[in-house]
Amino acid sequence: MFGFIILAVVLLAGGIGVITFRQPVHAALSLVATLLTLAVTYITLEAHFLAAIQTIVYAGAIMVLFLFVIMLLNVGGESSAERLPGLRPAAYLAGLLAAAGIAVTAFLDPRQLPSAEMIQAALGGGGAERVGESLFGDFLLAFHLVGVLLLVGIVGAVSLVQRKSHELAGDAGAALDEPERELTRA
């Protein structure tokens, strides 16, 4: 139990870092730490296959893809001027409502947590066969919905960091004006 509490604190700190760091690369690295901590949590539950998949797929491949996207879009730190003034308070309100909803549901739900034997039977040692049967059998709809959710998240993230065409034209114009100024000085 003590180990789980330490892992939960590290997971929570990593999650807070993901949403509070202003530099996108720092936020992505915080997400890597969170995903690796989740893999360690899987190991403590004796789900070694899930831990390996978590590390290889999420902390490895997907995070490398995220870092490439961040670098290709040349996303810097957030400027102090807000584009949408009401967005930040609305995001805080939505976060508070979601946290309150989770807390109310957790405290009002009379069901007990499943026993360790039930968790072990559900995970089946975290083997590929058991995971595949669960994903493509009982949880096929949920598996596809998670895929759609990830796709929507990626499209939303790309649309949030897209520069407007006049910003790009202004940057390109400034870059083109600089050599002309140097030539006129010479």
Side-chain angles (χ1 to χ4, degrees), residues 6 8 10 15 18-19 33 47 50 56 67 72 76 84 116 125 175:
I6 292 172
V10 172
V18 169
I19 61 172
L50 286 178
I56 294 169
L67 287 174
L72 283 175
L84 300 173

Side-chain angles (χ1 to χ4, degrees), residues 26-49:
H26 296 163
L29 291 176
S30 181
L31 184 58
V32 168
T34 303
L35 294 175
L36 289 176
T37 307
L38 184 60
V40 172
T41 306
Y42 286 145
I43 290 173
T44 61
L45 293 172
E46 297 182 6
H48 302 286
F49 177 73

Side-chain angles (χ1 to χ4, degrees), residues 23-106:
Q23 290 292 328
V25 174
H26 296 163
L29 291 176
S30 181
L31 184 58
V32 168
T34 303
L35 294 175
L36 289 176
T37 307
L38 184 60
V40 172
T41 306
Y42 286 145
I43 290 173
T44 61
L45 293 172
E46 297 182 6
H48 302 286
F49 177 73
L50 286 178
I53 293 300
Q54 176 76 23
T55 303
I56 294 169
V57 174
Y58 288 102
I62 290 179
M63 286 313 302
V64 168
L65 176 68
F66 280 4
L67 287 174
F68 276 132
V69 168
I70 289 170
M71 291 178 187
L72 283 175
L73 294 176
N74 196 17
V75 179
E78 187 176 314
S79 63
S80 59
E82 291 186 25
R83 292 184 200 168
L84 300 173
L87 187 60
R88 188 175 299 263
Y92 286 135
L93 180 65
L96 286 174
L97 286 176
I102 291 171
V104 166
T105 303

